[in-house]
Each structure stands twice: as structure tokens, then as C-alpha cells.
Amino acid sequence: MPVFARADGLIDIKSLSLAEIEAALTGLGSEKFRALQVYKWLWQRGVHSFDEMTNVAKAVRAVLVERYYISFLDVAAVQKSGDGTHKFLWLTEDGHRIESVMIPDDGRNTLCVSTQVGCAMACTFCLTGDLGLRRHLRPSEIANQPLQVREALDATYRITNVVMMGMGEPLHNLDNLLPALEIYLDEQGLNFSHRKITVSTVGLVPQLQRLAEALPVNVAVSLNATTEEQRRLVMPITRKYSMEALLEACRTLPLKATKRITFEYVMMAGFNDSMADAQRLVRLMRGIKSKVNLIPYNENPDRDIRRPADSVVRAFQGHLVKHGLQASVRVTRGRDISAACGQLGKTDPTKALVEGQKIAAIRIRREGEGYDTSRFVLDDIV
Ligand code: SAH
């Protein structure tokens, strides 16, 4: 595991696994079992200082303070959509903006997590792609998102599901994603069931295989096309891993017997929404334990791409269902706050409103400025 040290030389303890904290503590002359206590303070209680770890011996705490620090993302803004969706705009220690989106739906609260600052995949229809890749997020930055959302929102918004569908391509950052997922899944850590976590990918074939061998989480693949040529037009990654190679990997992926792969299919009017596409999609799914999630394109001023009419989406879905596929249509959420699929990375923090009743006195930092502890004008966008 790479070690993440700050300019002052202190190491980010939250990017260490439990085993690494154990090794560090025994190296410092402390008993191994103390590591579990520290780990629980970090991930279950979310403490901000070593002083709060009251059942850890003072001497041990003193050594920890000298070498490590407890990292958090800065909350730059929280926006609440009219439909209850919350978008969190975070600032990393080095001033990058990333986002998480909490989507409440029928008793389920799904948190959409970012794994990179920007994205290198350059899918033509996706706005996050316009940023390019600035950098990978480290394990603590990936795991702090649910921890800090839990801290900020009350029990109404208890996170039940996590999808790695925010900014970035999770499998392009597998070396940091895997240790982060260990923290998500550990009963002593964030304590999510693997059934409730989904990793979404453009289809990096070797990394997909590595993920499936390492952890039993759910997998989603953004397919978005039904022929190689069509997919190459919008998803440049197809030049490296053909759709055929991707689907073959999906057919043979070592998944638990109960799992199915979700295929996301962004529907773009006149591009991939014909009945011929629906027929090809049925054929492509043969032999794969799949379910299809149709995502009508979220229109935006930066692209000349249209969302198909509802009737077209329904006919497409109907064809899939008639041929035995499980197919759902994703309802657009959080559009009024640019929190919908493919819109992340465009938030203007000066226009963002903080939902102040729930999140008091948030530290606000804008790029290039120091800290500003004043509060935003409290308002709701409902
Ligand atoms: N890089 C990963 C994780 C991001 S998931 C992946 O691509 O799977 C984001 C999802 O939103 C992807 O399925 C992508 O195809 C979809 N998407 C991107 N822009 C969109 C838009 N404008 N409208 C609807 N879906 C979009």
C-alpha cells in the first residue's frame, strides 16, 4: 500500500488498512489489539482527533499524534434538490473538487461516490470527461464520503446502498479502490454488506477480473451501444478493450451464484435507441447473467444530444422484457442541482446553497483562498 503523507510529514492514518495499523502499532511498541480500537474510532465513530480515542492508552495516542493525522474532506457546499436528492461538494486537501450524491428513494438511500478527480475515459456524452483526469482519489478520500455524509445527515437519510458511479472510473483506480472497499465492507469499519455496494465501469477488462476475484461486490458495466463501431464513437475505451472482449469477460466472471451484472445503457435519441438496437442488445446479453438499466440521456447545454421520447424508451424496454431480460428505466434525480448522471464536476460553489438546519457551521474553503468559517445564507431550493 502506498503511504500518503502531508506536507508536514504526517501520514494519513485513514488510508491504512487494519493490518497496516496493527503493524504500525506493534512497531511503536504497542499491543496489536489496540489497532482494532483505533480503527473503530476512525470508521465507526468518525473521531476528529486522537485525544477522543479514550480507551487507547495515552502513551499510544502520544506516539500516534507524532506520526499520523486523521484526514477529512472539507465540505464546500451541500445542495438539496426538490426531489430530496442531496449533492455534496467536497474539497480535497490539495484543493480539488469532488462530489457525492445521496438519492433517497422509497425507503432506500443510495450514495453515489466519486473515485477520481475528473476522469480519463473521455466518453463523448459525459460532462465529467471534459475535466480529464486530475488525479486518483486515495482510499481515505473514497471511504470518507459515506462517513461524512453519515455525519452530516440525520437518520432519515441513513445510507442503505452505495454505488461507485460518481466522478471517475473506479477500475482505473483499482489500487486505491480495493483498500477503500475493505473499509466499506469491514464490520469494524463502515460495515456495508457486499450486496449493497455496486462498482460501475466503462469496461476495463483485466481490472474487472481482478475486482471480481478480490471482492464479492456487485458489478455494473456501462455498455451504451450495441455494435463495436457505435460504441467506439462514444466510448474511446472500446479501442483498447473491444465490446466483444468485455462481454466475454462478463460471461466468465467469477460471480457469486446469486449475482447478476447490471448493464447500464444511456439512451441517446437517434443514436442507440432504435428497435434494431433493442434486438441486438437482446442477442448480446445471451449467456450473461444480466439485468439492463436504461438511462434516458440527461440533456445539458454542453452537448447536442437529446433524450428519446418516453414512448421510445418504453418500447425499447418492452422489447427487452418480452425477450426475457430484466430491464428497468432509471428515473432522473437531482437534475435541478446538476447531480444527475454525467453531470458531476460542474458545480459552482458560489451558487451552491447549504441546507443549514442539518449542517451547521460548515468550514467553507474556496480554491485559492484560506478558510472561511462564515455560513452560507440558509435557504432551500425546493
Ligand atoms: N466510469 C464509470 C462510473 C461512472 S457511472 C462508468 O462509466 O460506469 C456514470 C454513468 O452515467 C455511466 O453509466 C454513464 O454512461 C452515465 N452517463 C454519463 N453521462 C450521462 C448523461 N448525460 N445522461 C445519462 N447518463 C449519463
Side-chain angles (χ1 to χ4, degrees), residues 167-188:
M167 293 167 74
E169 166 51 40
L171 296 189
H172 187 206
N173 187 17
L174 194 57
D175 289 342
N176 291 315
L177 180 73
L178 286 178
L181 285 175
E182 301 276 1
I183 297 169
Y184 276 75
L185 295 171
D186 197 323
E187 274 181 42
Q188 318 294 338

Side-chain angles (χ1 to χ4, degrees), residues 125 165 168-169 200-202 222 224 264 266 295 297-298 341-342:
F125 51 84
M165 296 186 186
E169 166 51 40
S200 182
T201 177
V202 294
S222 297
N224 301 343
E264 296 158 281
V266 178
I295 315 175
Y297 188 73
N298 291 316
C341 302

Side-chain angles (χ1 to χ4, degrees), residues 40-77:
K40 281 170 136 177
W41 282 111
L42 293 174
W43 293 113
Q44 301 209 322
R45 307 289 287 271
V47 295
H48 288 244
S49 72
F50 291 107
D51 274 350
E52 290 165 71
M53 302 181 175
T54 45
N55 62 355
V56 178
K58 266 220 170 95
V60 176
R61 279 187 261 155
V63 195
L64 286 173
V65 169
E66 270 174 30
R67 296 177 191 235
Y68 299 97
Y69 75 100
I70 302 174
S71 65
F72 281 93
L73 295 161
D74 272 311
V75 188

Side-chain angles (χ1 to χ4, degrees), residues 108 163 165 195 197-203 208 217-224 231 246-247 250 253 255 258-265 281 285 288-295 326-330:
R108 259 206 327 203
V163 293
M165 296 186 186
R195 281 178 221 92
I197 297 183
T198 301
V199 175
S200 182
T201 177
V202 294
L208 184 57
V217 293
N218 300 308
V219 169
V221 171
S222 297
L223 191 62
N224 301 343
R231 194 167 194 264
L246 171 60
L247 293 175
C250 291
L253 213 58
L255 290 177
T258 50
K259 294 223 194 254
R260 282 170 185 277
I261 299 174
T262 300
F263 287 87
E264 296 158 281
Y265 191 91
L281 188 51
M285 292 294 103
I288 305 181
K289 289 206 327 188
S290 67
K291 48 188 170 189
V292 176
N293 191 211
L294 302 171
I295 315 175
Q326 199 176 314
S328 53
V329 178
R330 189 178 296 178

Side-chain angles (χ1 to χ4, degrees), residues 13 18-39 50 53 55-65 67-68:
I13 193 166
L18 179 56
E20 286 165 333
I21 299 178
E22 273 172 8
L25 279 181
T26 43
L28 295 171
S30 168
E31 308 93 326
K32 197 171 147 188
F33 75 91
R34 298 272 176 222
L36 188 55
Q37 294 174 331
V38 171
Y39 192 76
F50 291 107
M53 302 181 175
N55 62 355
V56 178
K58 266 220 170 95
V60 176
R61 279 187 261 155
V63 195
L64 286 173
V65 169
R67 296 177 191 235
Y68 299 97

